[in-house]
Amino acid sequence: MDFLRILEQALGELIAPTTAAYALAAIGLNLHFGYTGLLNMGQAGFMLLGAYGFAISTIAGAPFFVALLVAIIAGALFALLLGIPTLKLRGDYLAIVTISAAEIIRMVGRSTVFNEQTGGSSGLTGNSFKETFLGLSPLPDGRSAIGPLEYLNNGSDSWWVRIVAWSVVLIAVLLVWLLTRSPWGRVLKGIREDEDAVRSLGKNVYAYKMQALILGGVAGSVAGVLFVLPRAVQPDSMGRSMTFFIWTILLLGGAATVWGPVIGSMIFFSVYMLLRAGMRSALPDAVSSAQIEQIGGMLVGITLMCLVIFRPQGIFGDKKELSFNVR
Amino acid sequence: MSDDTTTETTVDPVKLDLSHVEATPGSPKPTSILTVDNVRRRFGGMTAVDVDHLEVEAKAITALIGPNGAGKTTFFNLLTGFDVPDQGSWTFEGHSLGGKPAAKVARAGMVRTFQLTKALSRLTVMDNMRLAARNHPGENMFASLVPPLWRRREVEVTDKASEILERFNLLAKADDFAGSLSGGQRKLLEMARALMTDPTMIMLDEPMAGVNPALVQSLLGHIQALRDEGMTVLFVEHDMHAVRHVSDWVVVMAEGRIVAEGPPESVMNDQAVIDAYLGAHHDTDLGDDSLLDPAILARLEEEEKKR
Amino acid sequence: MTADRGKTTIRRSLAALMLSGLAALAAAPALATTPTSVATATSTCTPDTETACIGVLVLDPENNRIADADIEITGPEGFSEIVTTTDDGLSAVAVTETGKYVASLDATTLPDGEELGEGAETEITVTAQMGGTARAAFRIGEDTAVAPSETASSTGEGGLDGDGSTPAASSGGLKADQVWTQIGSGLRFGLLLALASVGLSLIYGTTKLSSFSHGEQVTLGAMLAYVTMNVMGMPIWLGAIVTIALCAATGWIQDAGIWKPLRKRGTPVVQLMIVTIGLSIALQYFIQLAIGAGTQRIITSNPETWSLGPFTLTRASWVSMVIALVVLLAVAWFLTRTRIGQATRAVSDNTALASATGIDPNKIIRIVWVLAAGLAGLAGMLLGMVFGSFNWMMGMQMLLLMFAAVTLGGLGTAFGALVGSLVIGMVVELSNLFIPSDLRYASALLILILVLVFRPQGLLGRAERIG
């Protein structure tokens, strides 16, 4: 594996569908944490629910957009369900409830009880729910290359998936940009700073928090759909580690910034790839590929720690508008 | 109205009204804007608030004083919907507000500030002000996506905010983050922000606490100006000099109860008041007892360190 | 003396627990149901940078591929999947975690007339790597052989990940001894959980920090016990002392190196919480790097059961319970009867007030970190022994149960954490009787959410004062 090939792989990660899915999930989390101060520790749960909603309804015969709607509604309902008991309580309760609820979704999903619907721990194979999405592609069959990046036009790991995924991300960025510059976004930021103050000014804080939770949750569930389109629905691959990676991405790019989640995701995945591919080619004999994964994971953890300690505003965040409440 | 024969050219109608009120706890007022009945709040075994009856005169400045732990702030929290009483009811401008959430209380026209200022640090001063405006269509999630629907209101709100900021000498700081303000400026901002909601009654929780003495005079001036505009002011305060200077009526709380009320000149000499204070802190200057509480002290110190 | 007795009993009691070890347990939920209801994956798998494939095939003596045999693949992250072979190619399954996977052939699904040969392998361990396909090929022969059943297990020993032995609701009708067994297991799990959660609760109480890395502190205990007792061959008592001392030291180092400096900077607690998440990720992968992704046994010897009244548990379990009980009582004594303990509670109540009365909160918090890390290490060590084996995920799975226990009892109250742990332990084990065992942790988390809805201050907590 030569240097050019490693660079090429890292470049590919920049526009990979997975990068887009994580970016969208981080955009949702940004609405939660960055703008409203909600500690959602279960974003992967929203994603898994969206993925299940989309895949199961497609398998049941729903057309693409109906299945997508099911995913969106699933995310919204999940947010509502979690929000009702917790949004009136202290912030860390939401953290504990969301992380627990996400785990419950995963456990129920992989449980043998719902085997017929969810496929248990083996999940749902991509081919079982991909057809409707791939059918929408206007692209001719074949392969296309832009620069060094060459993919199939249609298929799991294709230009079509990339185009759709990044379009969705761009729409989400636009929406967040509009929302957070508006008076509505101002109320959210006020809540992030001090919800009692906002309450004392006559705003229904609960309703705003709920709106933010639902909106970010829907972003998460759509991200879940994007995440599974190029692969399968695997409950165990959408657990807590995923949530933590999304947090790392958000804080890397800078919470409470419009582009932070997108840039964070691109940097995260390309650097992660560079690191692993670099280690693999530099020390092909000294370490096994499993060990490379583990060292990579350790570096992610250490990066997250250092980021939060030394640069809490993220790489591109404004020092004055830190992502954390400094008081 | 100037049928009075003293040297003052006008006699304040509110002062005149209050001069006929009996100085006993729970006495009825001629034009009561806030009427409280049988409000109790217990924490564990301790009764923090136990108020049988209280009326607050409209368009007057009423000070709520009392030693530490008297339950003043808890009482404030109850009235403004930040805490829920075990029992009790109260009406504001004739409408029952008992058990209503804080936001509804504020929308009813009763707006409060906090003892430890709650400036929204990472919003600009101007955004702090704009946020407080009422009836802003842009605060609806869907409408917020279409700026033409709310741009006009935003301009109105900004104009009004500039006006108020000007008055509070904060206009120069409009684009700074609120977190960069000094403690006194934060207090001012909080008061200015409360005004953005067009309140009929403003509740100030220790507006003078932790404020640079140079600013105290200007704060007092603002409070008096509010009253002159026809607003009702109820404030919790420790600083007796400030209370004496500015208030029309003083209500004294001790151990959760209202032990005395009356005009500031006479109530300070009331035996119940002296007992209440001396009972709590024998050797304390009445003006500074807040500094005795180590929790508050530590908090203030911490705040200072951050700056 | 306790340690001596513990040594012999634990030695004798643990080997049979191997079968209820984590890997086998992860497989169990699927095996517990009838094979026909289990989803099968016959899709082919294309390895890429994020996917590794594990392919399986069954060959007869003439190297013909045998179709329709079920092979279960289990591995890290609780991975478990059943693959059915085909006669025209490699049946593969995609995995997203690298590491060791165990493929086990279910001999009962072999076509009629095809049987395993004498001594034929039914389990093959393969290592999955990203971008590659690992193969597991089973040979069947002409000789008669009986396939060992994977589900055979010891008496009601619940594992940490899934469950190997306890019959689920399908067994029909609750038997009294079954209920007693579950109660015993619940008590045991609750006590061990309490060891870990008391520390979490103390940390929360004194610093208001929900430490997400506390789970890894538990795994660390099991890992160090494995390293000292198994790899280095220390006697149990020495290994235990070294383990707990090292774990407690990690608490000291953490507080000195990370938490105290951050406290001094006045770092907000949310920020600290995310630092603990980073630490948790880093530790998880460090532990994987150190002991591998597979399951490990701390001690390998035959378990022996003791009966006391209606309860039958392994000796390791009994000894662990006694140790847990003694340590918990000691902690209770420490918190209520000693000066430092009382100071700890004072700091929990009101840090500013405590420091104004001459208590140094930093000193207390240091002690709390050391104590919490030590207790978590002890809990991890005991859990690893009681459950027979452990893997790098053990603490991660425990963490949410700890949160549940701490929240249930009332955030920040150490005694609440104890009560909450016992409740959670019972719920987890008793729910086995009514719902499929792979949902038993979900039931505990559901209870957590319900408690938050109806009694947010927890069972023992007081409603908090606002403003």
Side-chain angles (χ1 to χ4, degrees):
Chain A
M1 210 186 284
D2 62 334
F3 187 63
L4 222 63
R5 168 126 175 73
I6 296 173
L7 267 188
E8 212 176 282
Q9 274 187 339
L11 196 65
E13 284 295 297
L14 279 183
I15 60 157
T18 306
T19 309
Y22 270 91
L24 185 59
I27 288 171
L29 185 65
N30 196 20
L31 270 176
H32 291 157
F33 175 72
Y35 289 106
T36 324
L38 300 174
L39 287 173
N40 172 13
M41 287 287 158
Q43 190 68 334
F46 283 94
M47 293 176 77
L48 182 56
L49 205 61
Y52 272 138
F54 177 79
I56 291 171
S57 50
T58 302
I59 291 169
F64 175 77
F65 286 103
V66 174
L68 188 64
L69 194 67
V70 170
I72 289 173
I73 291 173
L77 281 181
F78 188 50
L80 198 67
L81 212 65
L82 294 183
I84 287 171
T86 49
L87 288 183
K88 282 187 176 156
L89 304 174
R90 245 188 4 234
D92 36 358
Y93 281 111
L94 182 69
I96 294 174
V97 167
T98 44
I99 196 171
S100 304
E103 280 296 288
I104 291 178
I105 301 254
R106 189 177 68 84
M107 286 174 189
V108 171
R110 74 191 298 285
S111 135
T112 49
V113 183
F114 300 104
N115 227 327
E116 259 167 54
Q117 290 81 33
T118 63
S121 57
S122 38
L124 300 163
T125 55
N127 290 334
S128 60
F129 60 83
K130 239 171 260 184
E131 215 93 308
T132 56
F133 170 73
L134 296 178
L136 290 176
S137 169
L139 302 176
D141 282 346
R143 298 176 74 87
S144 306
I146 297 179
L149 303 170
E150 187 183 334
Y151 305 101
L152 282 171
N153 286 346
N154 297 305
S156 289
D157 187 34
S158 64
W159 283 111
W160 174 234
V161 177
R162 283 174 173 75
I163 289 168
V164 172
W166 285 104
S167 304
V168 173
V169 169
L170 283 180
I171 292 170
V173 167
L174 181 71
L175 276 177
V176 168
W177 182 72
L178 280 172
L179 284 169
T180 53
R181 280 164 41 100
S182 77
W184 183 79
R186 192 163 62 212
V187 179
L188 292 195
K189 289 181 208 163
I191 292 170
R192 174 191 71 194
E193 297 301 303
D194 193 322
E195 60 173 88
D196 277 344
V198 176
R199 203 171 277 136
S200 78
L201 296 171
K203 314 285 175 207
N204 188 344
V205 167
Y206 184 65
Y208 281 100
K209 284 207 252 180
M210 188 63 92
Q211 288 168 4
L213 188 66
I214 290 176
L215 218 54
V218 167
S221 59
V222 175
V225 177
L226 294 184
F227 182 73
V228 296
L229 278 177
R231 47 171 73 74
V233 183
Q234 284 254 335
D236 290 338
S237 68
M238 298 170 84
R240 264 174 288 174
S241 309
M242 185 180 223
T243 300
F244 295 161
F245 279 16
I246 297 169
W247 272 91
T248 310
I249 283 169
L250 176 63
L251 296 174
L252 193 65
T257 60
V258 172
W259 288 100
V262 178
I263 293 167
S265 185
M266 287 177 153
I267 295 177
F268 180 86
F269 281 105
S270 51
V271 171
Y272 198 35
M273 173 59 77
L274 270 181
L275 266 175
R276 288 180 303 173
M279 274 194 282
R280 220 172 277 150
S281 66
L283 331 146
D285 306 316
V287 286
S288 73
S289 114
Q291 280 169 327
I292 285 172
E293 290 298 318
Q294 289 153 2
I295 294 170
M298 268 172 72
L299 287 175
V300 171
I302 293 168
T303 306
L304 180 58
M305 287 170 74
C306 293
L307 205 59
V308 177
I309 294 173
F310 299 112
R311 209 176 158 78
Q313 72 271 37
I315 294 179
F316 294 101
D318 182 353
K319 179 85 187 168
K320 278 189 208 142
E321 205 175 350
L322 287 176
S323 55
F324 294 95
N325 207 348
V326 191
R327 249 191 325 135
Chain B
M1 282 292 231
S2 46
D3 53 351
D4 206 299
T5 52
T6 56
T7 49
E8 282 180 29
T9 49
T10 55
V11 162
D12 186 284
V14 176
K15 274 225 151 82
L16 190 66
D17 272 356
L18 285 172
S19 66
H20 302 303
V21 174
E22 210 183 327
T24 55
S27 64
K29 309 289 184 308
T31 41
S32 165
I33 189 171
L34 174 69
T35 310
V36 181
D37 279 303
N38 298 315
V39 170
R40 310 250 183 294
R41 178 70 170 104
R42 288 182 201 88
F43 294 110
M46 186 192 74
T47 305
V49 170
D50 183 358
V51 172
D52 291 328
H53 187 78
L54 175 69
E55 292 184 13
V56 177
E57 173 73 2
K59 299 178 198 268
I61 299 178
T62 305
L64 184 60
I65 64 167
N68 248 310
K72 303 181 299 288
T73 294
T74 309
F75 187 46
F76 241 56
N77 286 342
L78 292 172
L79 291 182
T80 50
F82 281 86
D83 194 359
V84 184
D86 298 312
Q87 64 172 82
S89 65
W90 58 95
T91 59
F92 176 66
E93 292 188 301
H95 305 290
S96 171
L97 278 188
K100 290 265 163 60
K104 279 214 170 118
V105 173
R107 284 199 291 265
M110 190 158 107
V111 174
R112 74 171 291 180
T113 66
F114 295 87
Q115 185 178 351
L116 296 169
T117 47
K118 291 187 184 294
L120 306 171
S121 309
R122 285 172 293 159
L123 261 59
T124 62
V125 168
M126 183 49 96
D127 272 345
N128 263 271
M129 297 293 284
R130 286 187 188 131
L131 172 67
R134 291 217 228 171
N135 301 325
H136 201 316
E139 289 181 359
N140 177 292
M141 182 171 74
F142 297 106
S144 73
L145 290 171
V146 193
L149 290 177
W150 48 264
R151 206 163 268 150
R152 241 186 54 193
R153 176 71 180 145
E154 184 81 349
V155 172
E156 282 169 28
V157 166
T158 308
D159 288 347
K160 184 175 168 192
S162 305
E163 234 171 79
I164 298 177
L165 284 178
E166 173 105 69
R167 195 171 123 192
F168 283 81
N169 289 325
L170 285 172
L171 193 54
K173 302 254 177 198
D175 295 325
D176 293 4
F177 280 112
S180 68
L181 299 181
S182 75
Q185 285 171 326
R186 285 181 201 210
K187 291 265 180 196
L188 284 174
L189 173 60
E190 219 183 344
M191 216 184 284
R193 197 173 61 193
L195 290 187
M196 281 297 287
T197 66
D198 298 317
T200 38
M201 178 166 175
I202 186 160
M203 319 260 289
L204 308 171
D205 196 353
E206 307 219 9
M208 259 67 85
V211 174
N212 167 359
L215 255 175
V216 166
Q217 207 52 43
S218 125
L219 258 168
L220 289 177
H222 287 302
I223 293 175
Q224 260 168 335
L226 297 180
R227 170 188 182 272
D228 295 342
E229 284 164 29
M231 231 170 269
T232 309
V233 180
L234 176 66
F235 74 111
V236 169
E237 193 46 71
H238 273 103
D239 186 339
M240 286 306 132
H241 312 294
V243 170
R244 203 172 284 139
H245 187 71
V246 78
S247 55
D248 300 312
W249 195 258
V250 176
V251 176
V252 186
M253 273 183 91
E255 290 170 352
R257 295 166 187 281
I258 290 175
V259 294
E261 55 176 296
E265 305 78 32
S266 59
V267 83
M268 303 293 186
N269 302 320
D270 190 307
Q271 193 55 44
V273 178
I274 295 164
D275 286 350
Y277 271 91
L278 293 185
H281 305 287
H282 279 285
D283 49 355
T284 320
D285 172 27
L286 292 190
D288 273 336
D289 62 351
S290 69
L291 293 181
L292 264 191
D293 185 339
I296 291 177
L297 200 64
R299 222 153 35 190
L300 288 176
E301 268 171 8
E302 220 166 72
E303 266 185 89
E304 278 309 310
K305 248 184 277 164
K306 297 273 163 56
R307 201 149 293 125
Chain C
M1 184 200 141
T2 316
D4 240 2
R5 226 170 69 178
K7 176 179 153 185
T8 47
T9 46
I10 291 167
R11 273 252 174 92
R12 267 191 252 153
S13 56
L14 282 167
L17 288 181
M18 283 155 40
L19 284 172
S20 55
L22 297 195
L25 292 175
L31 291 172
T33 56
T34 53
T36 47
S37 73
V38 174
T40 54
T42 49
S43 65
T44 50
C45 161
T46 322
D48 64 25
T49 50
E50 281 173 332
T51 320
C53 295
I54 297 172
V56 292
L57 65 166
V58 179
L59 300 170
D60 70 10
E62 285 83 39
N63 280 347
N64 292 320
R65 290 180 171 177
I66 305 291
D68 299 326
D70 282 353
I71 292 163
E72 163 141 31
I73 297 168
T74 55
E77 285 252 53
F79 184 87
S80 167
E81 178 155 344
I82 289 181
V83 184
T84 307
T85 57
T86 57
D87 55 9
D88 59 355
L90 196 65
S91 300
V93 54
V95 299
T96 51
E97 293 285 333
T98 52
K100 287 210 171 6
Y101 286 76
V102 177
S104 45
L105 172 64
D106 184 354
T108 57
T109 60
L110 289 173
D112 290 345
E114 304 282 8
E115 277 173 322
L116 283 165
E118 183 89 38
E121 274 182 318
T122 56
E123 269 198 31
I124 297 176
T125 303
V126 294
T127 304
Q129 300 193 345
M130 293 298 157
T133 301
R135 285 157 187 265
F138 293 93
R139 288 261 171 200
I140 54 175
E142 53 289 332
D143 285 335
T144 55
V146 180
S149 164
E150 283 300 313
T151 44
S153 185
S154 54
T155 54
E157 293 294 327
L160 206 53
D161 183 25
D163 175 33
S165 50
T166 331
S170 59
S171 61
L174 295 177
K175 289 186 207 108
D177 56 341
Q178 206 178 323
V179 175
W180 283 118
T181 304
Q182 292 310 106
I183 289 178
S185 304
L187 203 63
R188 178 190 63 189
F189 190 45
L191 281 171
L192 296 182
L193 188 65
L195 276 183
S197 8
V198 164
L200 190 68
S201 172
L202 283 173
I203 292 173
Y204 182 87
T206 47
T207 64
K208 297 288 167 283
L209 171 66
S210 304
S211 172
F212 277 72
S213 53
H214 206 63
E216 277 60 47
Q217 297 287 339
V218 173
T219 320
L220 204 63
M223 178 187 114
L224 289 174
Y226 163 75
V227 170
T228 52
M229 297 176 197
N230 191 328
V231 179
M232 297 166 70
M234 287 186 196
I236 288 179
W237 62 269
L238 183 62
I241 290 171
V242 171
T243 297
I244 292 166
L246 284 176
C247 284
T250 62
W252 193 92
I253 293 167
Q254 258 180 65
D255 189 53
I258 308 176
W259 311 122
K260 191 182 170 195
L262 288 182
R263 270 201 306 282
K264 268 197 168 155
R265 271 173 37 173
T267 313
V269 82
V270 170
Q271 210 165 326
L272 294 181
M273 191 175 103
I274 296 172
V275 177
T276 65
I277 289 178
L279 183 61
S280 154
I281 298 175
L283 279 176
Q284 252 172 45
Y285 284 102
F286 168 73
I287 290 167
Q288 265 190 68
L289 199 59
I291 60 165
T295 56
Q296 302 293 354
R297 289 172 230 124
I298 295 174
I299 300 164
T300 52
S301 55
N302 282 321
E304 196 174 300
T305 56
W306 278 356
S307 293
L308 188 74
F311 301 112
T312 302
L313 292 168
T314 58
R315 282 195 183 183
S317 298
W318 286 113
V319 173
S320 297
M321 281 164 81
V322 170
I323 293 174
L325 204 61
V326 168
V327 171
L328 286 170
L329 285 173
V331 171
W333 176 82
F334 166 76
L335 285 177
T336 51
R337 294 276 180 273
T338 63
R339 265 186 65 91
I340 295 173
Q342 284 164 346
T344 307
R345 292 198 298 158
V347 172
S348 296
D349 273 355
N350 186 336
T351 310
L353 197 64
S355 61
T357 54
I359 297 168
D360 179 3
N362 278 324
K363 225 170 169 177
I364 297 298
I365 292 170
R366 175 70 49 87
I367 291 169
V368 163
W369 272 105
V370 171
L371 185 67
L375 286 174
L378 175 64
M381 183 178 81
L382 294 179
L383 279 165
M385 290 177 173
V386 163
F387 288 148
S389 64
F390 73 98
N391 65 9
W392 61 277
M393 299 197 301
M394 178 170 92
M396 193 169 112
Q397 286 160 341
M398 293 276 297
L399 180 71
L400 281 187
L401 297 180
M402 285 189 256
F403 272 138
V406 169
T407 314
L408 204 61
L411 281 178
T413 60
F415 298 104
L418 172 60
V419 175
S421 299
L422 290 175
V423 172
I424 292 290
M426 280 294 171
V427 166
V428 165
E429 296 293 348
L430 284 177
S431 65
N432 258 350
L433 298 169
F434 308 103
I435 58 172
S437 53
D438 53 1
L439 284 178
R440 56 194 193 149
Y441 287 170
S443 68
L445 298 180
L446 192 67
I447 285 188
L448 162 69
I449 293 177
L450 291 178
V451 166
L452 282 178
V453 176
F454 295 108
R455 204 180 150 76
Q457 70 270 37
L459 295 177
L460 299 185
R462 258 183 309 163
E464 263 190 53
R465 191 168 158 171
I466 307 167

